[in-house]
Amino acid sequence: MRGKNFFIILFMALAIFLQVGCSSGDDPDDPVVIGTGLKGTAATGSAIAHTTVHLRDRNGNRKTDETDGLGKYEFDVKGLTPPFILRTTAQDGRQLFSVATNPDMNEGAENIANLHPFTDVISRNWFRSRGRNIETEFDDGNAITNPPVNDEIVALITAIKNLLAVAFQAFNVPDNFNLIK
């Protein structure tokens, strides 16, 4: 019973962090990306400030950006091919990953893909479920063969939300809360 309580408390704390720590992207002070944008917030309970965020597209093309003091980053992804995989390094040195499988690539579109412990679990588990290693594939220079598919990422998000349903209810997390955005 004690282990179960620890698990619930841990995920309740993470749920609170997700409610408070990640931006919805609606801040009028956020800079506007000219072209097709992908932005987000890197956080692990507090912002991961002044660190590099790496983005890799399906064809192996790469871009980097540095987070600001609030952990926010953004990329102009015009000319890149989704899906995108993102990586950053947390204050404790561990790497966090996220995916943007179905971004709107129309001119002027803004998309959100945050980096935090839940996006890392989702991204790593998608690759593990196929016997693959996200770190190895991110670091190699090749195109990503059989990249993450939106429906499969959504299924992983749903499974995690179902596991955390009690904690989410206890902290009034809305049903439509998205673990990636």
Side-chain angles (χ1 to χ4, degrees):
M1 182 69 167
R2 182 176 175 181
K4 182 180 177 183
N5 288 339
F6 172 77
F7 181 74
I8 290 172
I9 290 169
L10 172 69
F11 282 108
M12 288 189 301
L14 286 171
I16 291 170
F17 139 76
L18 289 172
Q19 280 291 99
V20 176
C22 291
S23 166
S24 68
D26 296 330
D27 185 348
D29 294 329
D30 281 349
V32 176
V33 175
I34 306 301
T36 305
L38 179 69
K39 63 183 179 177
T41 303
T44 58
S46 61
I48 304 173
H50 310 292
T51 190
T52 303
V53 175
H54 303 267
L55 178 141
R56 183 162 186 240
D57 80 346
R58 178 185 188 125
N59 296 325
N61 298 308
R62 299 170 186 274
K63 285 194 169 193
T64 60
D65 189 36
E66 184 162 324
T67 61
D68 66 14
L70 299 175
K72 294 183 180 191
Y73 55 88
E74 61 185 289
F75 294 94
D76 183 343
V77 293
K78 186 174 184 175
L80 299 179
T81 305
F84 305 119
I85 302 173
L86 295 103
R87 178 181 70 190
T88 196
T89 303
Q91 295 93 333
D92 63 5
R94 68 188 155 128
Q95 293 185 353
L96 297 175
F97 289 89
S98 186
V99 294
T101 54
N102 197 24
D104 180 351
M105 296 300 287
N106 291 311
E107 184 71 30
E110 292 187 12
N111 301 282
I112 299 171
N114 293 313
L115 279 153
H116 52 69
F118 283 139
T119 65
D120 188 61
V121 166
I122 292 162
S123 303
R124 286 179 188 275
N125 278 302
W126 186 90
F127 278 85
R128 277 190 197 127
S129 71
R130 282 143 185 84
R132 297 161 60 186
N133 181 304
I134 192 170
E135 292 177 7
T136 301
E137 290 196 33
F138 192 90
D139 288 336
D140 75 21
N142 301 320
I144 302 169
T145 56
N146 301 313
V149 177
N150 193 58
D151 291 344
E152 295 167 346
I153 296 297
V154 169
L156 279 169
I157 291 169
T158 300
I160 290 171
K161 286 173 78 172
N162 288 340
L163 285 171
L164 301 175
V166 172
F168 281 8
Q169 283 180 326
F171 287 96
N172 298 314
V173 176
D175 290 338
N176 64 347
F177 181 72
N178 186 312
L179 291 174
I180 297 282
K181 295 181 181 179

